[in-house]
mmCIF file of all heavy atoms in Angstrom:
data_model
loop_
_atom_site.group_PDB
_atom_site.id
_atom_site.type_symbol
_atom_site.label_atom_id
_atom_site.label_comp_id
_atom_site.label_asym_id
_atom_site.label_seq_id
_atom_site.Cartn_x
_atom_site.Cartn_y
_atom_site.Cartn_z
ATOM 1 N N THR A 1785 0.885 -179.704 -23.746
ATOM 2 C CA THR A 1785 -0.408 -180.384 -23.622
ATOM 3 C C THR A 1785 -1.275 -180.122 -24.840
ATOM 4 O O THR A 1785 -1.871 -181.044 -25.412
ATOM 5 C CB THR A 1785 -1.136 -179.920 -22.352
ATOM 6 O OG1 THR A 1785 -0.299 -180.147 -21.214
ATOM 7 C CG2 THR A 1785 -2.434 -180.686 -22.168
ATOM 8 N N LEU A 1786 -1.345 -178.870 -25.254
ATOM 9 C CA LEU A 1786 -2.143 -178.539 -26.426
ATOM 10 C C LEU A 1786 -1.553 -179.152 -27.681
ATOM 11 O O LEU A 1786 -2.286 -179.630 -28.555
ATOM 12 C CB LEU A 1786 -2.243 -177.024 -26.585
ATOM 13 C CG LEU A 1786 -3.104 -176.529 -27.753
ATOM 14 C CD1 LEU A 1786 -4.524 -177.073 -27.639
ATOM 15 C CD2 LEU A 1786 -3.124 -175.018 -27.806
ATOM 16 N N GLY A 1787 -0.219 -179.188 -27.788
ATOM 17 C CA GLY A 1787 0.404 -179.795 -28.951
ATOM 18 C C GLY A 1787 0.087 -181.270 -29.057
ATOM 19 O O GLY A 1787 -0.292 -181.773 -30.119
ATOM 20 N N ALA A 1788 0.226 -181.985 -27.931
ATOM 21 C CA ALA A 1788 -0.055 -183.418 -27.935
ATOM 22 C C ALA A 1788 -1.530 -183.695 -28.173
ATOM 23 O O ALA A 1788 -1.899 -184.612 -28.908
ATOM 24 C CB ALA A 1788 0.405 -184.038 -26.615
ATOM 25 N N ALA A 1789 -2.398 -182.892 -27.547
ATOM 26 C CA ALA A 1789 -3.835 -183.074 -27.752
ATOM 27 C C ALA A 1789 -4.229 -182.720 -29.177
ATOM 28 O O ALA A 1789 -5.099 -183.350 -29.776
ATOM 29 C CB ALA A 1789 -4.621 -182.213 -26.765
ATOM 30 N N GLY A 1790 -3.564 -181.695 -29.735
ATOM 31 C CA GLY A 1790 -3.861 -181.303 -31.106
ATOM 32 C C GLY A 1790 -3.602 -182.409 -32.097
ATOM 33 O O GLY A 1790 -4.296 -182.522 -33.116
ATOM 34 N N ASN A 1791 -2.604 -183.260 -31.806
ATOM 35 C CA ASN A 1791 -2.332 -184.386 -32.685
ATOM 36 C C ASN A 1791 -3.548 -185.288 -32.788
ATOM 37 O O ASN A 1791 -3.941 -185.714 -33.882
ATOM 38 C CB ASN A 1791 -1.129 -185.173 -32.168
ATOM 39 C CG ASN A 1791 -0.727 -186.298 -33.101
ATOM 40 O OD1 ASN A 1791 -0.675 -186.134 -34.311
ATOM 41 N ND2 ASN A 1791 -0.454 -187.460 -32.534
ATOM 42 N N HIS A 1792 -4.175 -185.587 -31.665
ATOM 43 C CA HIS A 1792 -5.331 -186.486 -31.680
ATOM 44 C C HIS A 1792 -6.564 -185.808 -32.268
ATOM 45 O O HIS A 1792 -7.408 -186.478 -32.878
ATOM 46 C CB HIS A 1792 -5.593 -187.007 -30.266
ATOM 47 C CG HIS A 1792 -4.504 -187.891 -29.771
ATOM 48 N ND1 HIS A 1792 -4.445 -189.242 -30.075
ATOM 49 C CD2 HIS A 1792 -3.388 -187.627 -29.043
ATOM 50 C CE1 HIS A 1792 -3.356 -189.766 -29.542
ATOM 51 N NE2 HIS A 1792 -2.697 -188.805 -28.913
ATOM 52 N N ALA A 1793 -6.654 -184.503 -32.101
ATOM 53 C CA ALA A 1793 -7.730 -183.785 -32.781
ATOM 54 C C ALA A 1793 -7.557 -183.882 -34.291
ATOM 55 O O ALA A 1793 -8.511 -184.123 -35.042
ATOM 56 C CB ALA A 1793 -7.747 -182.322 -32.337
ATOM 57 N N ALA A 1794 -6.306 -183.709 -34.745
ATOM 58 C CA ALA A 1794 -6.030 -183.812 -36.181
ATOM 59 C C ALA A 1794 -6.300 -185.216 -36.700
ATOM 60 O O ALA A 1794 -6.895 -185.400 -37.766
ATOM 61 C CB ALA A 1794 -4.579 -183.414 -36.462
ATOM 62 N N LEU A 1795 -5.851 -186.224 -35.948
ATOM 63 C CA LEU A 1795 -6.025 -187.607 -36.390
ATOM 64 C C LEU A 1795 -7.493 -187.996 -36.439
ATOM 65 O O LEU A 1795 -7.899 -188.821 -37.266
ATOM 66 C CB LEU A 1795 -5.252 -188.553 -35.474
ATOM 67 C CG LEU A 1795 -3.732 -188.363 -35.449
ATOM 68 C CD1 LEU A 1795 -3.079 -189.362 -34.496
ATOM 69 C CD2 LEU A 1795 -3.131 -188.495 -36.848
ATOM 70 N N ASN A 1796 -8.292 -187.429 -35.558
ATOM 71 C CA ASN A 1796 -9.703 -187.775 -35.591
ATOM 72 C C ASN A 1796 -10.494 -186.878 -36.527
ATOM 73 O O ASN A 1796 -11.614 -187.227 -36.905
ATOM 74 C CB ASN A 1796 -10.269 -187.763 -34.175
ATOM 75 C CG ASN A 1796 -9.911 -189.045 -33.446
ATOM 76 O OD1 ASN A 1796 -10.633 -190.035 -33.517
ATOM 77 N ND2 ASN A 1796 -8.766 -189.062 -32.781
ATOM 78 N N THR A 1797 -9.925 -185.745 -36.915
ATOM 79 C CA THR A 1797 -10.452 -185.054 -38.090
ATOM 80 C C THR A 1797 -10.248 -185.971 -39.298
ATOM 81 O O THR A 1797 -11.132 -186.102 -40.163
ATOM 82 C CB THR A 1797 -9.708 -183.723 -38.315
ATOM 83 O OG1 THR A 1797 -9.917 -182.884 -37.179
ATOM 84 C CG2 THR A 1797 -10.212 -183.016 -39.559
#
Side-chain angles (χ1 to χ4, degrees):
T1785 304
L1786 182 57
N1791 184 44
H1792 293 276
L1795 297 180
N1796 280 272
T1797 298

